[in-house]
Amino acid sequence: EALATREEAYQAGVPSPSAARAALAETTARLCTTLIPIGDLPGAIANCRRNLSLTEELLRERPDDHVILVMHAVNATGLGNALRLNRQPDDAAASLEEAIRRHAALLAKNPLDAEVRRRLAVSHAYLANVYIDRKQPEQASEAFGRAIAELEALAKADPANARMRTELSYMLN
Protein backbone atom coordinates (compact mmCIF):
# COMPACT_ATOMS: atom_id res chain seq x y z
CA GLU A 1 0.00 0.00 0.00
CA ALA A 2 1.45 3.34 -1.06
CA LEU A 3 2.02 6.01 1.54
CA ALA A 4 -0.29 8.96 0.94
CA THR A 5 1.97 11.86 1.88
CA ARG A 6 5.61 12.71 2.25
CA GLU A 7 5.03 13.19 5.98
CA GLU A 8 3.71 9.64 6.26
CA ALA A 9 6.71 8.42 4.29
CA TYR A 10 9.04 10.37 6.56
CA GLN A 11 7.33 9.02 9.69
CA ALA A 12 7.60 5.49 8.28
CA GLY A 13 11.29 5.99 7.59
CA VAL A 14 10.89 5.82 3.80
CA PRO A 15 13.13 8.40 2.14
CA SER A 16 11.71 10.55 -0.60
CA PRO A 17 13.36 10.31 -4.02
CA SER A 18 14.81 13.77 -3.38
CA ALA A 19 16.26 12.68 -0.02
CA ALA A 20 17.73 9.57 -1.61
CA ARG A 21 19.37 11.69 -4.34
CA ALA A 22 20.73 14.05 -1.68
CA ALA A 23 22.24 11.13 0.23
CA LEU A 24 23.75 9.73 -2.96
CA ALA A 25 25.10 13.19 -3.84
CA GLU A 26 26.78 13.40 -0.44
CA THR A 27 28.35 9.96 -0.94
CA THR A 28 29.64 10.76 -4.42
CA ALA A 29 31.04 14.05 -3.11
CA ARG A 30 33.02 12.20 -0.47
CA LEU A 31 34.27 9.68 -3.02
CA CYS A 32 35.35 12.49 -5.32
CA THR A 33 37.55 14.09 -2.68
CA THR A 34 38.76 10.78 -1.22
CA LEU A 35 39.89 9.25 -4.51
CA ILE A 36 42.05 12.20 -5.62
CA PRO A 37 44.79 11.82 -2.97
CA ILE A 38 45.05 8.06 -3.51
CA GLY A 39 45.55 8.59 -7.22
CA ASP A 40 42.30 7.17 -8.59
CA LEU A 41 41.70 10.10 -10.89
CA PRO A 42 39.23 8.32 -13.21
CA GLY A 43 37.19 7.29 -10.16
CA ALA A 44 37.36 10.80 -8.72
CA ILE A 45 36.32 12.35 -12.02
CA ALA A 46 33.41 9.92 -12.42
CA ASN A 47 32.16 10.56 -8.89
CA CYS A 48 32.53 14.34 -9.20
CA ARG A 49 30.57 14.27 -12.45
CA ARG A 50 27.90 12.04 -10.90
CA ASN A 51 27.66 14.43 -7.97
CA LEU A 52 27.28 17.44 -10.24
CA SER A 53 24.50 15.67 -12.13
CA LEU A 54 22.71 14.79 -8.89
CA THR A 55 23.06 18.27 -7.43
CA GLU A 56 21.78 19.80 -10.67
CA GLU A 57 18.66 17.60 -10.36
CA LEU A 58 18.25 18.63 -6.73
CA LEU A 59 18.70 22.31 -7.57
CA ARG A 60 15.87 22.10 -10.11
CA GLU A 61 13.64 21.09 -7.19
CA ARG A 62 15.20 23.40 -4.59
CA PRO A 63 17.11 26.18 -6.38
CA ASP A 64 17.84 28.13 -3.18
CA ASP A 65 19.00 25.23 -1.00
CA HIS A 66 22.29 26.53 0.44
CA VAL A 67 23.66 23.07 1.26
CA ILE A 68 23.10 21.81 -2.27
CA LEU A 69 24.47 25.02 -3.80
CA VAL A 70 27.65 24.68 -1.74
CA MET A 71 27.97 20.97 -2.55
CA HIS A 72 27.64 21.73 -6.25
CA ALA A 73 30.31 24.44 -6.14
CA VAL A 74 32.67 22.32 -4.04
CA ASN A 75 32.40 19.40 -6.42
CA ALA A 76 32.97 21.61 -9.43
CA THR A 77 36.23 22.54 -7.68
CA GLY A 78 37.01 18.88 -6.98
CA LEU A 79 36.30 17.94 -10.57
CA GLY A 80 38.52 20.76 -11.82
CA ASN A 81 41.36 19.63 -9.59
CA ALA A 82 41.00 15.99 -10.66
CA LEU A 83 40.88 16.96 -14.33
CA ARG A 84 44.01 19.10 -13.93
CA LEU A 85 45.85 16.25 -12.27
CA ASN A 86 44.63 13.98 -15.09
CA ARG A 87 46.18 16.40 -17.61
CA GLN A 88 42.91 17.77 -18.98
CA PRO A 89 43.56 21.50 -18.49
CA ASP A 90 40.77 22.85 -20.70
CA ASP A 91 38.08 20.83 -18.94
CA ALA A 92 39.72 21.63 -15.58
CA ALA A 93 39.62 25.36 -16.27
CA ALA A 94 35.96 25.21 -17.29
CA SER A 95 34.99 23.34 -14.12
CA LEU A 96 37.01 25.66 -11.89
CA GLU A 97 35.56 28.75 -13.54
CA GLU A 98 32.08 27.35 -12.86
CA ALA A 99 33.05 26.69 -9.24
CA ILE A 100 34.33 30.26 -8.91
CA ARG A 101 31.07 31.66 -10.34
CA ARG A 102 29.00 29.54 -7.97
CA HIS A 103 31.09 30.41 -4.91
CA ALA A 104 30.96 34.10 -5.83
CA ALA A 105 27.16 33.91 -6.16
CA LEU A 106 26.94 32.34 -2.71
CA LEU A 107 29.17 35.08 -1.27
CA ALA A 108 27.01 37.74 -2.88
CA LYS A 109 24.11 36.39 -0.81
CA ASN A 110 26.16 36.11 2.38
CA PRO A 111 29.50 37.97 2.33
CA LEU A 112 30.31 36.79 5.86
CA ASP A 113 30.29 33.07 4.96
CA ALA A 114 33.90 32.24 5.82
CA GLU A 115 33.80 28.66 4.57
CA VAL A 116 32.46 29.65 1.15
CA ARG A 117 35.12 32.37 0.93
CA ARG A 118 37.84 29.83 1.80
CA ARG A 119 36.52 27.45 -0.84
CA LEU A 120 36.50 30.30 -3.36
CA ALA A 121 40.18 30.88 -2.56
CA VAL A 122 40.91 27.19 -3.13
CA SER A 123 39.14 27.31 -6.51
CA HIS A 124 41.23 30.32 -7.53
CA ALA A 125 44.43 28.55 -6.43
CA TYR A 126 43.55 25.42 -8.41
CA LEU A 127 42.80 27.57 -11.45
CA ALA A 128 46.21 29.20 -11.00
CA ASN A 129 47.75 25.72 -11.15
CA VAL A 130 45.93 25.09 -14.44
CA TYR A 131 47.43 28.30 -15.81
CA ILE A 132 50.88 27.18 -14.65
CA ASP A 133 50.38 23.87 -16.44
CA ARG A 134 49.40 25.80 -19.57
CA LYS A 135 52.48 28.02 -19.20
CA GLN A 136 50.35 31.15 -18.71
CA PRO A 137 52.22 32.92 -15.90
CA GLU A 138 50.27 36.19 -16.02
CA GLN A 139 46.92 34.43 -15.60
CA ALA A 140 48.41 32.20 -12.89
CA SER A 141 49.64 35.24 -11.01
CA GLU A 142 46.20 36.89 -11.25
CA ALA A 143 44.43 33.75 -10.03
CA PHE A 144 46.85 33.33 -7.11
CA GLY A 145 46.34 37.00 -6.33
CA ARG A 146 42.58 36.45 -6.10
CA ALA A 147 43.13 33.42 -3.85
CA ILE A 148 45.41 35.41 -1.58
CA ALA A 149 42.96 38.33 -1.45
CA GLU A 150 40.18 36.00 -0.28
CA LEU A 151 42.39 34.44 2.39
CA GLU A 152 43.62 37.86 3.53
CA ALA A 153 39.99 38.97 3.93
CA LEU A 154 39.34 35.89 6.07
CA ALA A 155 42.46 36.41 8.17
CA LYS A 156 41.55 40.07 8.71
CA ALA A 157 37.97 39.22 9.69
CA ASP A 158 39.12 36.61 12.21
CA PRO A 159 42.74 37.20 13.30
CA ALA A 160 42.59 34.30 15.76
CA ASN A 161 41.77 31.82 13.00
CA ALA A 162 44.94 29.76 12.78
CA ARG A 163 43.68 27.78 9.78
CA MET A 164 43.31 30.91 7.65
CA ARG A 165 46.71 32.22 8.71
CA THR A 166 48.28 28.86 7.83
CA GLU A 167 46.56 28.71 4.42
CA LEU A 168 47.54 32.30 3.69
CA SER A 169 51.14 31.60 4.70
CA TYR A 170 51.16 28.56 2.43
CA MET A 171 49.86 30.61 -0.53
CA LEU A 172 52.44 33.32 0.03
CA ASN A 173 55.37 30.86 0.03
Side-chain angles (χ1 to χ4, degrees):
E1 178 177 320
L3 297 172
T5 68
R6 287 184 186 208
E7 181 60 29
E8 289 174 353
Y10 177 78
Q11 293 297 330
V14 177
S16 70
S18 180
R21 278 195 307 279
L24 181 57
E26 187 174 326
T27 300
T28 58
R30 289 185 183 175
L31 282 170
C32 172
T33 57
T34 301
L35 295 174
I36 292 172
I38 64 171
D40 184 359
L41 297 177
I45 291 166
N47 279 287
C48 286
R49 285 188 170 139
R50 178 70 177 132
N51 175 273
L52 291 172
S53 176
L54 289 164
T55 53
E56 285 168 4
E57 289 176 27
L58 291 165
L59 287 170
R60 282 192 286 280
E61 296 171 15
R62 301 186 311 238
D64 296 323
D65 188 312
H66 181 76
V67 171
I68 298 169
L69 288 164
V70 170
M71 186 186 305
H72 192 82
V74 167
N75 276 281
T77 300
L79 176 60
N81 185 40
L83 289 166
R84 183 190 73 82
L85 294 170
N86 204 42
R87 292 179 170 70
Q88 298 175 46
D90 294 339
D91 292 338
S95 186
L96 291 165
E97 288 163 357
E98 176 188 346
I100 289 167
R101 281 190 301 275
R102 290 182 175 272
H103 283 111
L106 287 164
L107 273 180
K109 290 180 183 177
N110 183 4
L112 300 178
D113 191 328
E115 189 58 28
V116 169
R117 189 170 299 278
R118 187 190 73 77
R119 292 173 185 271
L120 175 60
V122 168
S123 297
H124 281 300
Y126 285 162
L127 184 58
N129 288 330
V130 170
Y131 290 135
I132 289 170
D133 294 345
R134 289 176 165 176
K135 307 213 181 323
Q136 297 174 300
E138 295 82 17
Q139 292 89 337
S141 179
E142 289 173 16
F144 273 129
R146 288 189 292 275
I148 290 167
E150 296 298 341
L151 292 175
E152 284 176 334
L154 286 171
K156 183 178 178 183
D158 185 5
N161 189 328
R163 179 180 181 183
M164 290 309 125
R165 288 194 324 272
T166 301
E167 288 190 25
L168 181 57
S169 173
Y170 174 77
M171 287 274 183
L172 293 173
N173 291 320

